[in-house]
Amino acid sequence: MKMDTNKHSVFLLNYHLVLVVKYRRKVIDDDVSEFARQTFERIGASYHITLTEWNHDGDHIHVLFKAHPNTEMSKFLNAYKSASSRLIKRDFPHVKRRLWKEMFWSRSYCLVTTGGATVDVIRQYIEKQGKE
């Protein structure tokens, strides 16, 4: 397993993010998805975020990405959602017409940490420390 490093730590922080379009409107096609992905990569770079995997359905996106321990995730997500919403509505007018209000993304999101081991495996590993 390849770990990431900075000056004082070694880490591997993977996240799975799901963002849903407001009112679950099916407005994400391949072009909108690609534009949103490029925006994610551009904004993510200043937060030390690296895109690993990206996919979409008509009304939501799935993102797998890596981050540094000092990344302020809520600030990044707010910056991404705000910027991408504004830019998508600007560059894809047909999308703006399908939404009732100004927001593109739903206020809520799903963010889950991911890793190579399950929580049960880690729990068992910790429980065994000092007993062998």
Side-chain angles (χ1 to χ4, degrees):
M1 174 182 330
K2 184 180 180 316
M3 303 288 249
D4 295 321
T5 62
N6 61 20
K7 290 181 182 178
H8 304 288
S9 58
V10 176
F11 53 90
L12 182 58
L13 300 173
N14 289 296
Y15 294 90
H16 176 196
L17 171 66
V18 181
L19 293 177
V20 178
V21 175
K22 187 79 169 176
Y23 311 116
R24 299 287 281 196
R25 297 285 189 196
K26 296 191 181 299
V27 296
I28 301 177
D29 58 18
D30 291 343
D31 293 334
V32 172
S33 175
E34 178 62 20
F35 183 85
R37 184 191 64 75
Q38 290 172 0
T39 304
F40 186 94
E41 288 179 318
R42 189 176 66 252
I43 293 172
S46 47
Y47 287 87
H48 305 291
I49 287 176
T50 305
L51 178 65
T52 306
E53 189 69 37
W54 179 282
N55 209 341
H56 73 277
D57 201 348
D59 61 357
H60 66 279
I61 60 169
H62 286 269
V63 186
L64 182 63
F65 64 93
K66 293 175 17 175
H68 281 215
N70 57 350
T71 298
E72 295 182 75
M73 204 58 65
S74 62
K75 284 187 179 181
F76 163 70
L77 290 172
N78 185 46
Y80 173 71
K81 287 173 70 177
S82 297
S84 62
S85 176
R86 185 177 66 257
L87 296 171
I88 288 169
K89 289 183 296 183
R90 181 194 72 192
D91 291 359
F92 299 91
H94 68 281
V95 169
K96 187 174 183 177
R97 288 191 296 271
R98 298 277 324 273
L99 301 174
W100 294 342
K101 306 257 183 189
E102 287 299 309
M103 289 184 269
F104 179 80
W105 299 113
S106 170
R107 289 183 66 200
S108 58
Y109 57 85
C110 175
L111 181 65
V112 181
T113 56
T114 64
T118 66
V119 172
D120 289 336
V121 169
I122 295 168
R123 183 178 290 121
Q124 290 172 6
Y125 173 78
I126 292 171
E127 286 173 358
K128 290 179 183 178
Q129 294 303 298
K131 295 181 180 178
E132 292 181 13

